[in-house]
């Protein structure tokens, strides 16, 4: 349920071809088609197969935690240096204060609608992040300035670990059984120390294994062998880092490590992240075999989309009107929200039934609003080419 991009969908309506509208609709629905098919296949499988969802261990817990580790590493590794140095402050505000404000707004909406279900507040945090895969896919074609694209990319990438940590903390407060390997993590000081230790070890290992020069600095094949050994050691160290983070649920330390621990993975990282998304969506569908809570999901989805508009309107102060509008409509949910729902399911059996329709609502709102916004921009851009009301304007020489 992670849409990829809708900007290719808004090109067709500019043409006068009668089939342009059909092309537009197909392109608009395409980002939802594959995730819905995967979830549907999982829902069919769930009619015959039953997942052993347990709060304390089990292959389900380890699998969902490992999927989250892969997703967070892929998200954080996509963070690049901000386009403008002053935007670093905006990014910090967005992923800290902004996430808290979004979660508080969503939680308030859920509390007003369902005051007798305080455990739903955990779901507000799980939805308070932007899906980095969807943002990465749509940035190339999005009509935004490079500065706004840089801000949104960093925002979407690093709000994931922040919401993950908040979900674990709030889950232990509101739910009787915390999720998977994070269960029983009541000592937050110990957890913080564990994240810092993982970060320190990762920094030490990467300092010893990182490349010392450009790739073409070793001209002879015989001299390239040490470089190949170094690459193999980097891959092994990365696998150990992911395993340790999954084992002790040190997701914040993993995300921070991904800022510098970056072996040359090429297309493999994207493939691994997409595979994690496919597996998570299929598991989501299997758990949806028991039904979905459409009412709560709709409230959660609409509140999440409105919360992004409010926070982005503040974070985007100083940007152009077009950039601020794009930031306000940039809320998308995908891999992180899906995996957090899977992690919450043992302690909150309604998590998947609520989050799944909420993701669908958010992504439909994003696709339609962005398509309308882009069409509006193109209509305004075409207005000067039309003859103004009252006839053509006279030039200076004609007056």
């Amino acid at each position: 349920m992670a849409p990829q991009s809708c900007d290719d969908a808004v090109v067709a309506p500019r043409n006068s071809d009668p089939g342009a509208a059909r092309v537009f609709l197909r392109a608009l629905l395409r980002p939802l088609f594959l995730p819905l098919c995967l979830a549907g296949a999982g829902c069919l499988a769930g009619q015959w197969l039953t997942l052993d969802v347990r709060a304390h261990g089990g292959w389900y817990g380890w699998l969902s935690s490992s999927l989250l580790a892969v997703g967070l590493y892929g998200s954080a590794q996509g963070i690049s240096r901000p386009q403008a140095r002053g935007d670093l402050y905006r990014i910090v505000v967005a992923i800290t204060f902004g996430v808290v404000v979004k979660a508080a707004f969503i939680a308030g909406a859920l509390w007003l609608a369902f005051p007798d279900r305080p455990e739903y507040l955990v779901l507000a945090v799980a939805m308070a992040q932007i899906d980095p895969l969807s943002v990465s896919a749509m940035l190339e074609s999005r009509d935004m300035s490079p500065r706004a694209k840089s801000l949104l990319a960093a925002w979407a990438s690093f709000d994931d670990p922040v919401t993950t940590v908040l979900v674990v903390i709030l889950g232990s407060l509101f739910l009787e059984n915390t999720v998977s390997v994070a269960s029983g993590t009541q000592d937050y000081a110990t957890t913080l120390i564990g994240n810092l230790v993982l970060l320190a070890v990762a920094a030490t290992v990467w300092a010893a294994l990182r490349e010392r020069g450009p790739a073409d600095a070793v001209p002879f094949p015989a001299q390239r062998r040490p470089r190949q050994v170094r690459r193999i050691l980097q891959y092994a160290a990365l696998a150990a880092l992911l395993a340790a983070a999954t084992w002790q649920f040190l997701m914040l330390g993993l995300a921070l490590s991904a800022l510098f621990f970056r072996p040359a993975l090429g297309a493999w990282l994207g493939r691994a992240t997409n595979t994690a998304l496919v597996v998570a969506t299929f598991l989501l569908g299997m758990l949806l075999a028991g039904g979905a809570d459409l009412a709560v999901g709709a409230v959660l989805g609409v509140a999440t989309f409105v919360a992004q508009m409010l926070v982005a309107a503040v974070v985007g102060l100083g940007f152009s009107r077009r950039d601020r509008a794009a930031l306000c409509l940039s809320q998308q949910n995908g891999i992180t929200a899906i995996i957090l729902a899977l992690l919450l399911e043992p302690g909150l059996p309604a998590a998947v039934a609520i989050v799944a329709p909420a993701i669908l609502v958010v992504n439909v709102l994003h696709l339609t609003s962005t398509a309308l916004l882009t069409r509006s921009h193109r209509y305004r851009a075409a207005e000067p080419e039309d003859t103004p009301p009252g006839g053509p304007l006279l030039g200076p020489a004609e007056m």
Side-chain angles (χ1 to χ4, degrees):
M1 296 186 177
Q4 298 302 310
S5 173
C6 67
D7 285 26
D8 55 346
V10 296
V11 177
R14 296 185 63 188
N15 303 329
S16 58
D17 183 4
R22 291 192 298 270
V23 175
F24 172 76
L25 290 175
R26 285 199 303 268
L28 185 66
L29 295 177
R30 187 184 303 122
L32 297 175
F33 182 71
L34 179 59
L36 287 175
C37 287
L38 288 172
C43 189
L44 290 176
Q47 302 295 330
W48 293 278
L49 301 176
T50 302
L51 285 179
D52 182 15
V53 180
R54 293 182 295 175
H56 302 282
W59 70 268
Y60 173 85
W62 292 107
L63 177 60
S64 55
S65 297
S66 61
L67 292 175
L68 181 61
V70 173
L72 287 181
Y73 181 83
S75 302
Q77 206 195 48
I79 298 178
S80 58
R81 183 173 298 178
Q83 186 77 15
R85 182 173 298 179
D87 289 339
L88 181 60
Y89 172 76
R90 295 176 186 267
I91 295 171
V92 174
V93 171
I95 64 178
T96 53
F97 180 74
V99 169
V100 174
V101 170
K102 286 176 66 175
F105 179 88
I106 302 168
L110 288 175
W111 181 79
L112 289 175
F114 310 99
D116 57 335
R117 302 303 299 268
E119 64 271 19
Y120 287 172
L121 302 183
V122 182
L123 302 179
V125 182
M127 290 288 292
Q129 37 72 35
I130 308 173
D131 178 45
L133 295 182
S134 303
V135 168
S136 176
M138 63 84 172
L139 279 182
E140 293 184 3
S141 56
R142 179 59 59 85
D143 188 13
M144 298 169 64
S145 67
R147 182 185 172 198
K149 290 181 180 180
S150 174
L151 171 63
L152 181 57
W155 185 354
S157 296
F158 214 71
D159 63 355
D160 288 28
V162 174
T163 53
T164 299
V165 172
L166 291 177
V167 164
V168 172
I169 294 175
L170 292 180
S172 63
L173 295 176
F174 287 96
L175 306 179
E176 294 183 0
N177 295 315
T178 8
V179 291
S180 72
V181 293
S183 59
T185 310
Q186 300 291 340
D187 189 354
Y188 303 127
T190 302
T191 303
L192 178 60
I193 293 175
N195 280 289
L196 293 177
V197 170
L198 182 70
L199 180 62
V201 172
T204 303
V205 172
W206 183 249
L209 297 180
R210 67 184 179 89
E211 301 288 346
R212 302 297 179 181
D216 56 355
V218 184
F220 301 107
Q223 295 176 312
R224 293 192 184 120
R225 183 168 300 175
R227 184 178 296 273
Q228 294 174 354
V229 173
R230 187 186 300 271
R231 290 283 178 87
I232 294 174
L233 292 176
Q234 289 177 354
Y235 299 151
L238 175 59
L241 177 66
L242 292 171
T246 301
W247 175 39
Q248 294 296 323
F249 208 79
L250 303 176
M251 298 302 168
L252 182 60
L254 174 65
L256 292 173
S257 301
L259 296 177
F260 58 85
F261 203 106
R262 300 185 173 187
L265 297 174
W268 288 104
L269 179 60
R271 293 170 183 170
T273 307
N274 288 327
T275 301
L277 174 60
V278 169
V279 174
T281 306
F282 186 83
L283 291 177
L284 184 85
M286 292 188 67
L287 293 175
L288 279 175
D293 195 331
L294 300 180
V296 183
V299 173
L300 179 59
V302 173
T304 300
F305 197 80
V306 175
Q308 171 64 21
M309 297 176 67
L310 297 176
V311 173
V314 177
V315 173
L317 289 175
F319 284 84
S320 67
R321 181 181 299 178
R322 176 173 297 186
D323 284 343
R324 291 184 68 189
L327 289 172
C328 288
L329 302 179
S330 61
Q331 179 66 41
Q332 299 175 82
N333 288 103
I335 182 171
T336 305
I338 291 174
I339 298 175
L340 287 178
L342 296 177
L343 286 167
L344 287 170
E345 185 70 14
L348 180 58
V352 168
I354 296 173
V355 170
I359 293 174
L360 182 61
V361 168
V362 167
N363 292 338
V364 168
L365 289 174
H366 167 78
L367 288 170
T368 53
S369 61
T370 303
L372 293 174
L373 177 66
T374 307
R375 293 188 68 185
S376 174
H377 286 162
R378 289 175 176 173
Y379 176 77
R380 292 173 185 172
E383 277 186 336
E385 300 175 3
D386 300 333
T387 302
L393 296 177
L394 296 178
E398 302 174 67
M399 296 180 65

